Amino acid sequence: MVKSTNDRIANAVVFIILLVCGLVAVFPLLYVLSVSLTPFSEVLKNGGFILVPRSITFDAYHKLLMESNIPRAFGVTVLVTVIGTILNMVITALMAYPLSRKQLPGRNLFLMMVVFTLLFSGGIIPTYLVVKSIGLLDSIWAMILPNLVWSFNVLIMKSFYESLPEELFESARIDGAKEFRILLQIVAPLSVPVTLTIGLFYMVGHWNEFFQAIMYVTDRTLFPLQVVVREILIQTQQPLENADNMTPSETLQMASVILASLPIIMVYPFLQKHFTKGMLLGSVKG
Amino acid sequence: MLLPGLIYYIVFKYIPMYGVIIAFKDFNMMDGIWSSPWASPWNKHFLTFFHSPYFSQLLTNTFLISVYKLLFGMIPPIAMALLLNECRIRWFRSLIQTLTYMPHFLSWVIIYGILLALLSQSSGLLNQWLKDAGGTAVPFLTSTSYFRSILVGSEIWQNLGWGAIIYLAAIAGIDPTLYEAARVDGAGRLRMIWHITLPGIRTVVIMLLILNLGHILDAGFEQIYIMYNIQVYAVADILDTWVFRTGLQQLNFSLASAVGLFKAAIGLVLVLGSNKLARRWGEGIW
């Protein structure tokens, strides 16, 4: 096929617009990174525009790691993410598997129960009172249990399980396998892609957790990363407890932003494909 | 197998729904939900809210922010999907996809940090440019005239690439013979977009639009809570943020629950109504 000039122009236009979109997506982060590495006086001198820092300093990172709550908060967030994601996955699978089996008695009622929570909720105050009354306030469980299962993920997993051939289950049953065994040894290995996707969704959710932490946690030693970073961001005058520090605040603020987003950005390229797959799974089947 | 999941749903979803009765009571912590006296008249807290000056302000803010996000937030991802679909260079296409999906995984705290770097009055990039050009610094983040644009803009930035995924999926589902037939008939690329691609994704667009209508009272609690400050309450305070402050910071549980229930009830009606509408449109179109 011969390429017409028109086609070539169109290709070029598409190319340029997409390039701009790509730059718009990454530029802000690169800028933040550059600010975090540059001495503050330089930031001001250069009119702020420095994508490649002229002089680099790790002062801000050093300060954050030695003198702030960031390392502790990092630990809290990792703990919540690991425990939370594992529990999320186990309970979601245990919920989705029975719901995917047509022979479950009361299946429609249970399904209704799950779907209804997507439409209506008691609201934040009554939920807070429940969390308070079972004594979860000020514990890391307050950041895990109230959001243990996302109904939407149950529905995605359920529809995936339903797409597995029925004969598989029948033959397993004839061989004498009970439901737990079927789930563990037959269904689980077949559903690695969907499990991975949903696990990643839960994981990012925990890493970015903010809402439950500000609702249920007042003990400063249990603050997760996002909460601590926001505190650093809104304290413009004295970023840390000791007021005599020499590193001006914006460099510190941006360093904290980079520290909190680094893990996500580092694992992101490897996970991206799975996310896309999962999103499509959810949208086509959900 | 269902048991752990069911316990979760009952404790964290259904007990709070029962807990909304405190909206009709004069709740106090000492007596608990059951023994607190009933409010008199029963709708006292609702009346207080309806007659307060907050009522129209909160409703306007919630509604406007949602509608802006809906109007301005839908078109960029559609355009993005069209552009990506037109892009003929494979590696470039996947590079741009990878870059533009990424902001979706950053938390609002991180995005707020980025906004600070770009827009803060003292050292933000944009204000440095303004000052260099001889202008004066603009307090973008604390001014009522910019706040909503910043909310909507940052949401578009976060969701540009990610939102395109579902439209790309819809485009992929279009019968390729349609394009061949059009090419034989001498249609150019723009004509093919206009007559084949856009009608091909029309159902998805309308479906998403209607489903989003159901969540019009949500407006995005976390984003607003993280970004707003006392100077912009007048344009930024929404139902959810007000409930949070009134309930958990001023300990006015009953009033906050009443407002939460009001919001949840309207949300339920909207979701059910728009679902019905979606079905009717779904049949009406093809």
Side-chain angles (χ1 to χ4, degrees):
Chain A
M1 216 194 295
V2 188
K3 266 196 176 175
S4 69
T5 354
N6 251 344
D7 225 30
R8 239 176 250 148
I9 295 173
N11 279 337
V13 170
V14 167
F15 185 88
I16 290 167
I17 302 179
L18 284 178
L19 191 67
V20 171
C21 290
L23 289 178
V24 167
V26 284
F27 169 77
L29 264 179
L30 288 180
Y31 179 67
V32 167
L33 178 67
S34 139
V35 169
S36 77
L37 289 172
T38 311
F40 194 54
S41 51
E42 287 283 310
V43 178
L44 289 173
K45 224 187 297 167
N46 291 309
F49 187 72
I50 23 151
L51 212 46
V52 183
R54 252 167 253 179
S55 54
I56 288 187
T57 164
F58 287 97
D59 282 0
Y61 290 94
H62 186 77
K63 202 149 201 106
L64 282 179
L65 293 177
M66 303 312 289
E67 297 169 26
S68 76
N69 284 329
I70 292 262
R72 179 193 285 273
F74 214 90
V76 171
T77 296
V78 169
L79 195 66
V80 168
T81 304
V82 172
I83 300 178
T85 309
I86 293 171
L87 281 178
N88 286 146
M89 292 312 301
V90 172
I91 311 279
T92 305
L94 285 180
M95 196 79 198
Y97 176 68
L99 286 177
S100 73
R101 309 267 51 95
K102 304 258 175 335
Q103 58 271 35
L104 175 77
R107 177 170 178 259
N108 282 332
L109 177 76
F110 293 135
L111 258 179
M112 271 285 298
M113 246 182 103
V114 172
V115 173
F116 187 65
T117 60
L118 287 172
L119 304 178
F120 186 81
S121 77
I124 61 181
I125 305 296
T127 311
Y128 172 84
L129 292 176
V130 167
V131 174
K132 187 180 161 69
S133 71
I134 49 181
L136 287 184
L137 286 189
D138 277 332
S139 75
I140 65 160
W141 297 106
M143 292 176 263
I144 295 173
L145 294 181
N147 251 343
L148 192 61
V149 182
W150 297 357
S151 299
F152 195 69
N153 286 348
V154 173
L155 298 180
I156 293 179
M157 269 195 131
K158 171 189 142 292
S159 63
F160 182 84
Y161 290 162
E162 272 169 0
S163 70
L164 297 172
E166 194 58 44
E167 294 79 26
L168 214 65
F169 299 95
E170 272 162 30
S171 63
R173 238 166 256 137
I174 289 167
D175 290 345
K178 292 274 183 305
E179 296 295 338
F180 265 110
R181 209 178 154 142
I182 297 179
L183 176 59
L184 260 180
Q185 297 193 331
I186 295 174
V187 175
L190 286 173
S191 47
V192 170
V194 76
T195 313
L196 215 59
T197 311
I198 285 174
L200 296 174
F201 277 127
Y202 278 129
M203 225 165 79
V204 173
H206 284 300
W207 189 269
N208 289 340
E209 180 58 59
F210 180 81
F211 180 61
Q212 300 188 77
I214 55 164
M215 291 259 293
Y216 308 131
V217 178
T218 48
D219 179 354
R220 303 186 55 86
T221 57
L222 288 178
F223 278 172
L225 205 46
Q226 305 293 337
V227 176
V228 172
V229 170
R230 177 167 184 270
E231 282 195 337
I232 294 177
L233 288 179
I234 56 181
Q235 284 173 343
T236 42
Q237 295 313 312
Q238 295 173 359
L240 301 175
E241 293 89 74
N242 46 338
D244 62 334
N245 68 74
M246 295 301 287
T247 318
S249 57
E250 197 185 352
T251 314
L252 266 182
Q253 291 175 335
M254 294 314 134
S256 70
V257 167
I258 293 294
L259 282 180
S261 52
L262 208 56
I264 292 268
I265 292 175
M266 282 195 327
V267 293
Y268 165 73
F270 306 101
L271 310 182
Q272 193 240 124
K273 269 200 187 115
H274 296 292
F275 276 126
T276 317
K277 226 184 278 165
M279 176 88 174
L280 294 179
L281 218 89
S283 60
V284 175
K285 300 213 162 180
Chain B
M1 226 186 255
L2 270 174
L3 203 62
L6 283 183
I7 292 174
Y8 163 77
Y9 272 95
I10 289 168
V11 172
F12 289 104
K13 297 285 178 184
Y14 285 92
I15 292 181
M17 286 186 202
Y18 158 78
V20 297
I21 61 166
I22 69 168
F24 305 100
K25 291 193 162 200
D26 285 325
F27 178 75
N28 67 63
M29 275 290 181
M30 289 303 163
D31 297 337
I33 295 179
W34 190 239
S35 340
S36 290
W38 291 98
S40 81
W42 62 274
N43 56 357
K44 180 172 106 185
H45 301 294
F46 292 89
L47 291 176
T48 315
F49 176 60
F50 293 148
H51 292 147
S52 78
Y54 300 116
F55 179 68
S56 63
Q57 190 197 350
L58 291 176
L59 225 52
T60 316
N61 287 344
T62 311
F63 183 75
L64 278 184
I65 291 172
S66 264
V67 170
Y68 287 156
K69 281 185 177 177
L70 206 63
L71 284 182
F72 299 111
M74 272 197 98
I75 294 162
I78 296 175
M80 188 75 197
L82 289 178
L83 284 167
L84 285 171
N85 187 52
E86 290 300 315
C87 182
R88 298 280 177 266
I89 313 161
R90 277 191 159 268
W91 66 266
F92 182 69
R93 181 186 150 140
S94 49
L95 172 75
I96 295 296
Q97 275 179 297
T98 307
L99 292 182
T100 51
Y101 293 168
M102 186 210 39
H104 180 78
F105 299 100
L106 300 177
S107 71
W108 283 117
V109 173
I110 301 297
I111 294 180
Y112 179 62
I114 292 173
L115 286 173
L116 274 182
L118 298 175
L119 299 176
S120 98
Q121 191 177 4
S122 54
S123 54
L125 181 59
L126 203 54
N127 272 319
Q128 304 243 15
W129 282 345
L130 282 177
K131 277 186 270 184
D132 286 351
T136 46
V138 181
F140 290 107
L141 293 165
T142 49
S143 140
T144 49
S145 36
Y146 295 102
F147 194 77
R148 284 183 191 145
S149 319
I150 291 172
L151 282 182
V152 176
S154 55
E155 173 131 329
I156 292 177
W157 182 73
Q158 192 198 35
N159 263 317
L160 177 66
W162 191 250
I165 292 180
I166 188 161
Y167 301 112
L168 275 174
I171 292 175
I174 297 173
D175 184 358
T177 54
L178 287 177
Y179 289 104
E180 273 162 41
R183 198 171 296 129
V184 171
D185 288 345
R189 276 162 80 166
L190 276 180
R191 289 216 83 117
M192 288 201 264
I193 292 178
W194 187 252
H195 290 292
I196 301 174
T197 314
L198 280 178
I201 61 172
R202 195 165 68 171
T203 22
V204 177
V205 174
I206 291 175
M207 207 182 69
L208 283 181
L209 186 69
I210 293 176
L211 290 180
N212 284 338
L213 283 180
H215 296 285
I216 217 143
L217 288 189
D218 285 345
F221 169 86
E222 202 168 302
Q223 181 194 16
I224 295 172
Y225 181 83
I226 287 169
M227 292 186 188
Y228 79 168
N229 44 63
I230 208 153
Q231 287 102 313
V232 294
Y233 275 2
V235 293
D237 209 10
I238 56 168
L239 288 167
D240 284 337
T241 48
W242 188 83
V243 166
F244 183 84
R245 289 203 316 276
T246 309
L248 297 186
Q249 289 169 5
Q250 295 158 25
L251 302 183
N252 205 335
F253 290 107
S254 285
L255 180 57
S257 300
V259 179
L261 179 59
F262 167 77
K263 190 207 141 200
I266 293 188
L268 179 64
V269 171
L270 283 174
V271 172
L272 292 179
S274 52
N275 189 40
K276 231 182 198 140
L277 211 64
R279 262 190 216 155
R280 193 170 298 166
W281 273 77
E283 285 171 6
I285 290 166
W286 299 117

